[in-house]
Amino acid sequence: MPDSHADELAGARRRVAQLVHDLDLDGKRLRLEELQDLAGQPDLWDDPDRARSVTTELAAIEQEVARLAGLTERIDDLEVLEQLAQEEDDDSSSAEVAAGLAAMAADLDRYELATLLSGEHDNADAIVSVHAGEGGVDAMDWTQMLLRMYTRWAENHGYAVDVYDTSYGEEAGLKSATFEVKGPDAYGYLNAEHGVHRLVRISPFDSQARRQTSFALVDVVPMLPELDEEIDVPDEEIRVDVYRSSGPGGQSVNTTDSAVRLTHLPTGVVVSCQNEKSQHQNKAAALRVLKAKLAEFERQKRAEELDDIRGGKQNVGFGSQIRSYVLHPYQMVKDLRSEFETGNVSAVLDGDIDALLESELRRRVRVAAESDD
């Protein structure tokens, strides 16, 4: 007689039921019907911005409903297969149940992580900027590695990525890059990455193969749809510079001055966009990013005022890294906030950062609960 999986199945069904409740599947189905009605209106595309907002939310809600409904279907199928395995004394079917439960447990872990996202803007898209810090060409190479890591993570989760600007190093790598990650809870997940990231490795750029420590700063802000209405930036507060888009080694990638750099004069915030097809499109994209940065600037200023009242604030500068990635003399990635660590550095650099994100999100929930007590 095959081993019974009845207890594991019952536990999985309880987790599914709790998840369906916490993520409000019924509410999402109602919202899906509303969005489908809106998407079917013949005058929808009279307002392209509104139409894009509706279709983007519709696609995200459809995906979320399908995932949650799919969990219930999967547990139903596994229970039927378990019954068949027991009735027919079928070890192969029992093995399928065990494999299905393992896969489902991994998916449930990921979905349950979404219930930890309770911040005001956690459901927003994310604007991510990576900047090379100390470490010379190694830091620029490290910045490019981080861009690839986040891009792979986004692709693995079905998120769209729009790269707005890339500033290449003279020898290798990137001085900086700015990109938008579009998808459900993108900011909620990625804001856990905000801070300084340190890489320790044998430098591929050192002829003597010495160990090099390099740093990169990751900055994450939410992209909010209401920013155009809430954030008013007078033209006289913005300096607009146009230039030719450049590629690796300073090569010009087009023959027109289509790239745009915006400088907000009162705050000194600078954003650039060079990857759209025209100067007008680059300016519009850069303005969206600028507004997101200014909104975050105001939030941080208010937070600093509160920190001063409380008696201090946390330094978020170089030398206060949130995570270390060590490739030599041993291999380990360690988050210095949550103390989570893993030896599978290659998987992390290939975008497998879910466990790191989860460890930080759970730490934040724990800290918030302790402060409430």
Side-chain angles (χ1 to χ4, degrees):
M1 180 69 69
D3 292 336
S4 172
H5 301 288
D7 290 343
E8 297 97 316
L9 286 164
R13 181 168 286 284
R14 285 193 297 271
R15 290 180 69 186
V16 169
Q18 187 64 50
L19 193 62
V20 165
H21 174 270
D22 291 344
L23 296 181
D24 191 15
L25 177 57
D26 291 339
K28 284 182 168 59
R29 282 176 168 150
L30 289 174
R31 180 58 179 162
L32 179 59
E33 292 178 4
E34 294 174 359
L35 291 167
Q36 288 171 335
D37 289 341
L38 289 172
Q41 293 177 0
D43 61 346
L44 175 68
W45 286 96
D46 290 348
D47 183 346
D49 289 337
R50 176 173 174 271
R52 279 191 291 271
S53 176
V54 169
T55 55
T56 299
E57 185 182 358
L58 175 60
I61 293 290
E62 281 180 333
Q63 185 179 55
E64 189 71 7
V65 168
R67 284 177 175 174
L68 289 173
L71 289 173
T72 301
E73 294 173 3
R74 285 168 64 185
I75 196 68
D76 289 342
D77 291 343
L78 287 173
E79 286 176 342
V80 171
L81 189 59
E82 168 71 3
Q83 184 178 359
L84 179 67
Q86 296 300 319
E87 290 176 351
E88 300 189 3
D89 196 13
D90 186 349
D91 288 331
S92 64
S93 294
S94 182
E96 284 187 52
V97 174
L101 281 168
M104 193 163 191
D107 288 341
L108 285 168
D109 287 342
R110 185 168 68 254
Y111 296 147
E112 286 169 349
L113 181 58
T115 65
L116 300 177
L117 305 178
S118 57
E120 181 182 0
H121 304 304
D122 281 351
N123 64 341
D125 297 337
I127 296 290
V128 185
S129 298
V130 288
H131 304 273
E134 298 174 4
V137 65
D138 277 279
M140 297 180 196
D141 189 51
W142 175 220
T143 300
Q144 188 164 32
M145 291 167 65
L146 286 172
L147 172 61
R148 179 184 180 275
M149 182 180 82
Y150 293 128
T151 301
R152 293 298 299 271
W153 175 84
E155 292 172 347
N156 291 340
H157 287 75
Y159 292 164
V161 177
D162 285 346
V163 179
Y164 290 128
D165 179 61
T166 47
S167 176
Y168 290 91
E170 290 79 7
E171 184 177 343
L174 294 169
K175 295 178 181 177
S176 63
T178 299
F179 57 99
E180 182 176 359
V181 179
K182 300 178 179 180
D185 301 319
Y187 175 72
Y189 291 121
L190 288 175
N191 82 86
E193 294 298 288
H194 182 91
V196 177
H197 296 243
R198 182 181 73 150
L199 175 68
V200 180
R201 65 172 178 177
I202 297 296
S203 172
F205 306 102
D206 189 325
S207 60
Q208 299 181 44
R210 289 173 293 191
R211 189 170 65 179
Q212 172 72 32
T213 299
S214 48
F215 298 87
L217 175 65
V218 177
D219 179 61
V220 187
V221 300
M223 176 62 84
L224 304 178
E226 66 271 17
L227 283 175
D228 285 340
E229 300 174 5
E230 288 190 357
I231 304 293
D232 179 30
V233 186
D235 291 343
E236 60 269 20
E237 292 186 356
I238 301 176
R239 186 178 72 236
V240 181
D241 298 305
V242 295
Y243 57 98
R244 292 185 180 181
S245 302
S246 61
Q251 303 174 59
S252 178
V253 297
N254 62 30
T255 58
T256 61
D257 293 335
S258 62
V260 174
R261 181 185 300 109
L262 302 181
T263 303
H264 186 242
L265 299 175
T267 61
V269 174
V270 179
V271 299
S272 303
C273 186
Q274 65 175 11
N275 289 357
E276 300 294 345
K277 294 181 180 179
S278 70
Q279 184 183 123
H280 176 74
Q281 290 173 316
N282 278 322
K283 184 177 179 181
L287 187 58
R288 290 180 68 234
V289 176
L290 178 63
K291 288 184 176 183
K293 295 270 188 179
L294 291 176
E296 183 63 18
F297 182 86
E298 289 300 318
R299 283 192 291 271
Q300 289 182 355
K301 188 164 69 173
R302 290 195 296 269
E304 288 172 0
E305 291 171 354
L306 290 174
D307 284 330
D308 288 339
I309 293 172
R310 295 187 188 109
K313 61 181 179 179
Q314 181 182 4
N315 178 33
V316 188
F318 291 97
S320 61
Q321 62 269 12
I322 64 165
R323 190 178 301 149
S324 290
Y325 306 70
V326 181
L327 297 178
H328 183 85
Y330 52 87
Q331 295 213 343
M332 182 182 71
V333 177
K334 181 173 182 177
D335 194 288
L336 304 180
R337 302 159 300 177
S338 66
E339 300 295 321
F340 177 86
E341 60 183 63
T342 174
N344 196 350
V345 182
S346 60
V348 169
L349 295 178
D350 202 35
D352 186 7
I353 61 173
D354 284 339
L356 289 157
L357 298 178
E358 179 178 357
S359 70
E360 170 56 12
L361 292 173
R362 291 191 182 281
R363 184 195 70 84
R364 291 180 182 183
V365 170
R366 186 170 63 253
V367 169
E370 290 171 354
S371 64
D372 290 340
D373 293 342

